[in-house]
Amino acid sequence: MTLSGLPTLTKTRVALWDNARFVLIVLVVVGHMVSTVRTDTALGFGLYAYIYLFHMPAMILLSGVFAKPAVNPKAIKSTVQLLVVWLVWEGIWAVIHAVVEQKALSKNFLVSPAWTLWFLVTLATMRVLLPYIARLRHPLLVSIGLALIAPLFEGIGVHFSSARTLAFLPFFVVGWLARERGWLTGEWFLKPHIRARAWAWALLGGVAALFSLAPGGFKEFWRIDRWLTHRDSYSWMFEHAPIGSFGPSGDGFVGWIGFAISGLLISLILLAVAAAMTLAVLLVVPRSHSAITVWGAHTLYVYLLHGVVVWFLRESGFIDLVGELGWIGVVVLSLLATGLAVVLSMRWVTRVFRVIIEPKFDWLLQKEQREEEPKPVG
């Protein structure tokens, strides 16, 4: 099972999307592996920020590519499946915290999804919203507006992953529109020219160079990593992660307008960068079948199971210990994360952990009726 729930299409397209999913899930694991030591080195901070600029927008876009606004038994079952898996894993994390840390259930249990589980809640919410979004005259503009305006309100936060849902909604809508209007069916995308790939590599390399060549380290100039979690309001981010000495100032309504415009512009730029990097990654991803094509079919297993492994590595002090090696430690952790993603993508993992990744829940649903009655003979 995959995070985006993509169906089987032609061989070329299956390879493309499965390859993309595996590349992105590796970035997810690497990002989580280095997260707690990211501020110790320039490499760690740059790697983390680089990944977070686009990896979740890209995952959301892939989910949108094969989403449909139809409200039918198949669509309902798919959404319910996400919610069931979410609830199962909320229980698993509650047990882990109770046994290992002797922690009781938080008052925000279920209200604030546990760590990586926000993605399941966000994806389920987007699927519920899509039939309504699809009826809008300009769905993409509306979704962008919501993404930009939401951080103005401090009440929109981690509860039911509302902040991230709105922040990433434009990418889900773009994915759906891309399929609906055939934006990604041309030769330019399915078989990109070498010049298009060169442009994509140049963009990805240019952003990497920006982080590596910034004088004094990019972290000293801007804690962009705090903006890229998409959990907090503009007011919190300007207070805890200003851009150099820049920051909105002024009192009263005029001051609020300056603050709002500054936040909107920064978010709009980050949206544009994420969109460009997402397209670049999709252009350079291999189109042919290989081992990663097979591994890319099991991204949900990697996504849910790696969190437990990484959490135990954090709690045991292993990640901090490796992080003390400096940039070498970041490299080691990145390689370990890549290896972990490969191992969790193997078929034996799907057989062992299927009961908690793809639990049976048909008993919750009414028996599906056939959409068409059999035609009478004669």
Side-chain angles (χ1 to χ4, degrees):
M1 185 177 179
T2 67
L3 280 174
S4 48
L6 306 185
T8 301
L9 298 176
T10 64
K11 288 185 178 180
T12 301
R13 293 184 64 130
V14 166
L16 163 62
W17 300 119
D18 282 344
N19 292 343
R21 287 202 299 270
F22 182 74
V23 169
L24 293 173
I25 200 63
V26 168
L27 295 179
V28 169
V29 182
V30 171
H32 287 157
M33 188 74 82
V34 304
S35 176
T36 53
V37 295
R38 67 183 185 272
T39 58
D40 295 345
T41 62
L43 177 62
F45 183 83
L47 178 63
Y48 180 90
Y50 184 86
I51 289 173
Y52 273 71
L53 272 172
F54 72 92
H55 80 308
M56 290 316 299
M59 293 287 280
I60 295 289
L61 185 142
L62 288 183
S63 300
V65 165
F66 288 89
K68 295 182 179 180
V71 181
N72 53 40
K74 183 178 180 181
I76 293 172
K77 183 176 181 179
S78 178
T79 302
V80 172
Q81 184 176 33
L82 283 172
L83 296 175
V84 169
V85 174
W86 166 53
L87 292 173
V88 168
W89 275 84
E90 285 286 358
I92 290 172
W93 276 110
V95 170
I96 290 174
H97 289 305
V99 173
V100 178
E101 300 178 312
Q102 289 77 50
K103 284 186 177 180
L105 283 181
S106 166
K107 64 178 181 180
N108 289 324
F109 178 65
L110 297 184
V111 176
S112 295
W115 195 16
T116 60
L117 303 187
W118 70 266
F119 182 83
L120 302 181
V121 179
T122 283
L123 187 53
T125 304
M126 289 177 175
R127 288 183 177 179
V128 171
L129 292 175
L130 185 58
Y132 302 96
I133 294 173
R135 297 185 64 85
L136 298 175
R137 180 173 296 182
H138 303 292
L140 181 56
L141 290 178
V142 171
S143 66
I144 292 174
L146 290 173
L148 297 178
I149 293 171
L152 288 171
F153 306 98
E154 296 184 13
I156 300 177
V158 297
H159 290 175
F160 294 110
S161 191
S162 55
R164 282 170 167 163
T165 298
L166 295 175
F168 294 128
L169 185 59
F171 297 97
F172 188 80
V173 174
V174 164
W176 166 68
L177 287 174
R179 178 185 174 92
E180 194 76 6
R181 301 181 182 180
W183 293 345
L184 303 181
T185 57
E187 290 289 309
W188 73 271
F189 182 76
L190 295 178
K191 297 179 179 180
H193 192 273
I194 188 172
R195 284 178 294 184
R197 289 178 180 267
W199 169 87
W201 279 117
L203 174 63
L204 295 172
V207 176
L210 177 64
F211 284 112
S212 61
L213 300 178
F218 200 91
K219 177 174 68 72
E220 303 303 323
F221 173 69
W222 184 21
R223 286 296 304 271
I224 189 176
D225 56 322
R226 292 174 175 170
W227 285 76
L228 297 177
T229 57
H230 300 286
R231 295 179 304 189
D232 304 293
S233 65
Y234 289 143
S235 61
W236 188 94
M237 288 186 286
F238 275 122
E239 179 181 353
H240 295 87
I243 304 176
S245 59
F246 169 78
S249 59
D251 299 321
F253 181 73
V254 174
W256 185 89
I257 290 296
F259 156 80
I261 292 176
S262 299
L264 291 172
L265 286 176
I266 293 172
S267 289
L268 186 59
I269 291 171
L270 291 178
L271 276 175
V273 171
M277 293 182 71
T278 295
L279 177 59
V281 168
L282 292 179
L283 286 174
V284 302
V285 164
R287 265 60 179 166
S288 59
H289 281 263
S290 65
I292 68 171
T293 310
V294 178
W295 296 335
H298 306 134
T299 48
L300 184 60
Y301 285 80
V302 181
Y303 187 81
L304 292 173
L305 293 172
H306 91 274
V308 177
V309 177
V310 172
W311 185 85
F312 274 104
L313 291 177
R314 287 180 182 178
E315 294 300 307
S316 67
F318 175 81
I319 291 180
D320 287 336
L321 183 63
V322 176
E324 292 177 359
L325 298 175
W327 68 267
I328 295 177
V330 174
V331 173
V332 170
L333 290 174
S334 300
L335 293 175
L336 287 174
T338 303
L340 178 61
V342 171
V343 170
L344 295 180
S345 299
M346 294 181 176
R347 294 187 184 278
W348 67 267
V349 175
T350 64
R351 290 194 295 268
V352 172
F353 293 100
R354 187 181 303 276
V355 67
I356 58 173
I357 305 294
E358 299 181 78
K360 300 295 184 182
F361 63 95
D362 290 345
W363 56 273
L364 283 173
L365 305 174
Q366 294 182 359
K367 185 177 181 180
E368 295 180 10
Q369 298 180 355
R370 282 178 274 184
E371 295 184 5
E372 294 183 5
E373 294 295 328
K375 296 180 180 180
V377 179

